[in-house]
Amino acid sequence: MSEALEILALACTGLYAGYMLAFLSGVMPALKEMDDASFTSVMRTVNRKVPGPLFLLLFLGSLAFPAASFFVEPDGRAGGDTTLVGAAAVCALVGHLVTSGGNVPLNNALESAKGRDARSARTAFEGRWNALHALRTLLATAAFGLVAVAVTG
């Protein structure tokens, strides 16, 4: 059971970190070049479409599987490996708190500003959202790295 949880933890944290990194390094720089009305329209659409089943599986799994792996009796895992998996779960938890306490409220505010001045909506959204996204990307990548070291170590 522990080995299966570790594999699921590795897969979910890795895929989630990759998703976050792709957004940070590709999607947001591309959107930065768009005019205000296009930017806000695209981000509203993305914010409605992203929380689909696959994203939610990765989002929830990137926390649930490391946490479950931490609490399940290890199959020959060293104590330090358990600590790494626990640290990964903490990184994922903090990242989820950033998402739910920062990015999601900004997404909701952008949606609520629909029909208003696109420039002011973008100004209120983009910088703060990108900073929070960079933080959660760092946390997701750290969680993946910690799980990877624990599983392969």
Side-chain angles (χ1 to χ4, degrees):
M1 173 82 156
S2 177
E3 187 174 320
L5 286 173
E6 288 173 346
I7 290 168
L8 289 168
L10 183 64
C12 280
T13 58
L15 289 168
Y16 183 68
Y19 184 92
M20 295 286 107
L21 188 58
F23 227 87
L24 180 72
S25 65
V27 174
M28 294 312 292
L31 293 179
K32 185 175 183 67
E33 296 181 12
M34 299 180 93
D35 63 85
D36 297 334
S38 297
F39 174 89
T40 55
S41 176
V42 168
M43 281 307 298
R44 285 182 185 112
T45 301
V46 167
N47 293 336
R48 285 190 301 271
K49 296 295 183 181
V50 164
L54 181 57
F55 176 81
L56 291 175
L57 174 67
L58 296 177
F59 179 74
L60 298 173
S62 68
L63 174 57
F65 291 123
S69 181
F70 176 78
F71 288 109
V72 169
E73 187 69 30
D75 298 332
R77 183 177 19 171
D81 295 343
T82 300
T83 302
L84 292 173
V85 171
V90 170
C91 286
L93 175 63
V94 173
H96 284 51
L97 292 173
V98 169
T99 297
S100 62
N103 293 91
V104 170
L106 287 170
N107 294 346
N108 294 339
L110 184 65
E111 185 66 33
S112 296
K114 192 173 186 176
R116 297 188 204 138
D117 175 46
R119 180 73 188 143
S120 60
R122 181 178 187 168
T123 300
F125 176 85
E126 187 176 21
R128 291 175 53 207
W129 194 94
N130 283 333
L132 292 168
H133 183 71
L135 176 58
R136 66 185 180 166
T137 300
L138 177 66
L139 290 162
T141 304
F144 170 63
L146 290 163
V147 170
V149 171
V151 169
T152 61

